[in-house]
Amino acid sequence: MTDLIDILFTVGLWSSVLRIATPLIFGTLGALLCERAGVLNLGIEGIMTFGAMAGWLAVFMGADLWTGILVAALTGAAFGLVHAALTVTLGLSQHVTGLGITLLASSLSYYIFRLAVDVQGTPPTIEPFAPLSVPGLSDLPLIGPALFTQTAPTYLAIALAGVLAYVLFRTPLGLAVRMTGENPHAAEAQGLNPIHIRYGAVIAGSALMAMGGAFLTLAAFNSFFPTMIQGRGWVCIALVVFSTWRPGRALFGALLFALFDAYQLRLQTVFGSAVPYQLFLMLPYILSIVALVVMSRRARVPQALMKPYRRGER
């Protein structure tokens, strides 16, 4: 029992929490932005996979790491444009279109990777982002090495949560996005164009999703393999509901899931073969489902979510 408690006070655990949470933060913020404008984007799993591949491939071919992040964001935005064209302009099912985007992007990422890279044996690697120490703060006991010795994309993800919260709830642009997700006809009556707003939200949100995928290949790891997203996109969709469509709570939810995940990895070493490791792998998802059920009972869904908008129709 003492060992289980001691794990909570180790630098390695909390350092892992931030590292595991980073792609979830990017993905959840992206999905949240889409849904705030009234569009469900189930293409997130494929977009994250393609972003991971595109960012890694750009760096592998000679670009710097930040250019790799930018390339990933642009490819995510491109898939967002496709999703918006099919769901916003044509009014097709957001569920079916999103799943189609996931299948397309996931398959296309592996196809392009195999065409561009001659993989024989061990996959090729790149030099990933190095941890950055924040002067003064990184020297603090326990929390210093854990929280203030992370890679630059981790700090960017946390900052973006604050930026998105400010934009959504403190600016006219954020009000327009929220109004479009609640009642696009009311937004139209105020002189806004809900179609343009939804396009912008889906494109920007998809770019954030792809950046989450790029983090895995450019910071957490140093190579690409097709199954590396491992359901993180679906976790992000659940975290949006957990967060009740608020960026601050989305950040908290991503960190909470990451804590569960990092903790179960260390529980495996404590119990060894005495307990099947599959039980520990289920732990973060079980706890997340419980938290999701509790939080979702108080959640207020954007009223126009998944509802096609036609100008002049009600």
Side-chain angles (χ1 to χ4, degrees):
M1 185 65 182
T2 303
D3 291 339
L4 302 183
I5 297 175
D6 289 342
I7 292 174
L8 296 173
F9 297 95
T10 59
V11 172
L13 173 71
W14 294 103
S15 181
S16 296
V17 166
L18 282 178
R19 186 169 61 252
I20 294 171
T22 299
L24 299 178
I25 296 171
F26 279 117
T28 304
L29 293 178
L32 186 152
L33 180 57
C34 294
E35 294 185 27
R36 271 293 183 178
V39 180
L40 176 67
N41 191 348
L42 293 183
I44 182 171
E45 186 81 4
I47 291 172
M48 291 181 73
T49 302
F50 199 92
M53 184 281 300
W56 180 89
L57 188 59
V59 176
F60 181 73
M61 292 185 168
D64 62 80
L65 292 167
W66 284 111
T67 301
I69 295 287
L70 177 61
V71 169
L74 291 175
T75 59
F79 280 109
L81 178 61
V82 173
H83 185 67
L86 295 174
T87 59
V88 178
T89 301
L90 299 181
L92 301 182
S93 168
Q94 295 179 11
H95 292 94
V96 175
T97 301
L99 293 175
I101 293 290
T102 282
L103 294 174
L104 172 65
S106 298
S107 302
L108 192 60
S109 64
Y110 185 54
Y111 177 70
I112 294 176
F113 177 73
R114 291 303 300 267
L115 284 181
V117 181
D118 183 18
V119 180
Q120 296 180 356
T122 305
T125 61
I126 61 168
E127 188 65 32
F129 279 97
L132 296 177
S133 297
V134 179
L137 296 178
S138 60
D139 297 327
L140 296 174
L142 183 61
I143 63 172
L147 304 184
F148 301 107
T149 311
Q150 298 290 332
T151 58
T154 296
Y155 300 129
L156 175 62
I158 296 172
L160 284 175
V163 170
L164 185 58
Y166 178 81
V167 170
L168 282 178
F169 296 101
R170 293 289 186 271
T171 67
L173 175 60
L175 178 61
V177 171
R178 290 186 289 119
M179 184 181 296
T180 300
E182 295 290 343
N183 190 336
H185 298 288
E188 181 185 13
Q190 295 298 316
L192 301 173
N193 190 322
I195 293 178
H196 291 172
I197 293 172
R198 285 189 169 182
Y199 260 85
V202 174
I203 291 172
S206 299
L208 288 174
M209 297 172 187
M211 290 169 65
F215 171 83
L216 294 173
T217 51
L218 302 182
F221 307 105
N222 59 2
S223 61
F224 170 78
F225 52 94
T227 59
M228 68 189 313
I229 301 302
Q230 295 182 331
R232 288 180 175 88
W234 311 129
V235 172
C236 292
I237 295 295
L239 287 175
V240 173
V241 181
F242 172 84
S243 70
T244 62
W245 290 269
R246 292 180 174 273
R249 294 178 183 176
L251 175 61
F252 172 74
L255 292 171
L256 183 63
F257 180 87
L259 174 60
F260 293 156
D261 199 10
Y263 192 62
Q264 67 87 11
L265 291 172
R266 283 152 181 80
L267 288 181
Q268 293 183 40
T269 63
V270 173
F271 289 95
S273 59
V275 179
Y277 74 92
Q278 291 88 348
L279 293 177
F280 296 115
L281 292 176
M282 291 190 301
L283 180 63
Y285 297 95
I286 293 173
L287 295 176
S288 296
I289 290 172
V290 172
L292 178 62
V293 169
V294 173
M295 295 296 295
S296 62
R297 296 183 65 180
R298 297 181 295 172
R300 184 180 181 278
V301 181
Q303 295 301 298
L305 180 62
M306 296 185 291
K307 295 180 180 179
Y309 165 73
R310 291 287 183 272
R311 183 170 296 174
E313 297 180 5
R314 289 185 180 273

